[in-house]
Amino acid sequence: MSYQEKNVTVALVSHLLILIYYLFNLLPIIQSGEWIASKLYALWLVVIGTTILVTIIGSILTNIILSIFEAIRSQKYEDPRFITDERDHLIELKGIRIEYITYSIGVLLSIFVFIFGQPPLMMISLIFVFGILAEITGDIAKITLYRRGL
Amino acid sequence: MEKRQVRNNIRKLRFMNNEMTQEQLAEKVGVTRQTIIALEGGKYAPSLELAFRIALAFGVSLTEVFSYEVDDEQK
């Protein structure tokens, strides 16, 4: 498993955890039908903040842990080079394309929910769900491409 | 149906160059070992720049490393 592959796996796990947390807080609101704006704004803020923090911290931690393992494996104390090459960039681009397709479909579905009489806050909540789902789909696509070779 | 594929002799050339490892070749041309594995397995066609770098690493011409083949599988 390459450095990039491990990085994507960490991102996938963190995105899954964020989605579980978001749905865990959103489902009671959907069930009760009480769309209180202030409550939702706080939830969105937490989700956006956590996503940014987890992505940054996850990336730094992965780098540190992999550097330690690499130093132990190679018995060298120099800074290991985790290079990204053209194949990594191609996989990244393909992953982003799948992310955009998933997100576009999600936004379209959310708009339909609004058109069919649901409150606008529900539409925005669903857009957030599809945003995280798109990230997860992109991560899965990238891992699949790495496993297959491309 | 016509199937086009970029084929390569990287494995053979590695063997002929003092059994160069995939890791050594990867380091020479500035890519990851996984990319060399994908190239040898025919799963990935490199950019023109990488193709030239690989040929340079072996000290041979581009056509000695890569070839472009068209398999006519139409029945």
Side-chain angles (χ1 to χ4, degrees), chain A residues 55-108:
Chain A
T55 308
I56 295 167
I57 293 169
S59 181
I60 293 168
L61 278 180
T62 312
N63 214 326
I64 293 168
I65 293 165
L66 289 180
S67 297
I68 293 167
F69 276 112
E70 184 62 27
I72 294 166
R73 190 185 67 86
S74 62
Q75 297 290 314
K76 284 178 193 167
Y77 295 103
E78 62 189 39
D79 196 18
R81 289 183 321 124
F82 295 123
I83 54 163
T84 51
D85 58 22
E86 56 178 49
R87 189 171 139 268
D88 294 317
H89 295 307
L90 193 64
I91 289 173
E92 178 76 28
L93 286 174
K94 285 187 175 184
I96 289 171
R97 187 172 63 184
I98 289 165
E99 265 178 51
Y100 276 124
I101 292 167
T102 314
Y103 192 55
S104 305
I105 294 167
V107 169
L108 209 69

Side-chain angles (χ1 to χ4, degrees), chain A residues 2 83 85-87 148-150, chain B residues 31-32 35 43-44 47 50:
Chain A
S2 71
I83 54 163
D85 58 22
E86 56 178 49
R87 189 171 139 268
R148 271 179 26 198
L150 193 77
Chain B
V31 296
T32 59
T35 300
K43 289 174 181 170
Y44 175 62
S47 69
L50 178 58

Side-chain angles (χ1 to χ4, degrees), chain B:
Chain B
M1 215 180 100
E2 260 187 11
K3 195 181 169 195
R4 297 176 178 88
Q5 209 179 354
V6 177
R7 294 186 193 279
N8 65 72
N9 298 316
I10 296 174
R11 202 179 209 138
K12 200 173 103 188
L13 286 163
R14 272 199 307 113
F15 185 74
M16 285 160 66
N17 275 267
N18 295 327
E19 293 185 23
M20 186 193 284
T21 63
Q22 289 172 331
E23 189 81 53
Q24 285 169 331
L25 178 62
E27 218 165 276
K28 262 190 170 182
V29 297
V31 296
T32 59
R33 195 174 76 89
Q34 280 73 21
T35 300
I36 301 296
I37 294 167
L39 280 168
E40 286 189 359
K43 289 174 181 170
Y44 175 62
S47 69
L48 198 55
E49 196 193 334
L50 178 58
F52 272 112
R53 283 208 302 261
I54 292 169
L56 262 171
F58 289 125
V60 293
S61 69
L62 194 64
T63 49
E64 283 176 73
V65 189
F66 296 97
S67 59
Y68 185 68
E69 289 176 17
V70 180
D71 298 332
D72 196 5
E73 293 175 353
Q74 207 166 16
K75 288 175 185 173

Side-chain angles (χ1 to χ4, degrees), chain A residues 34-47:
Chain A
E34 289 170 3
W35 294 93
I36 303 158
S38 58
K39 217 173 168 182
L40 279 165
Y41 293 157
L43 179 62
W44 295 339
L45 202 71
V46 168
V47 167

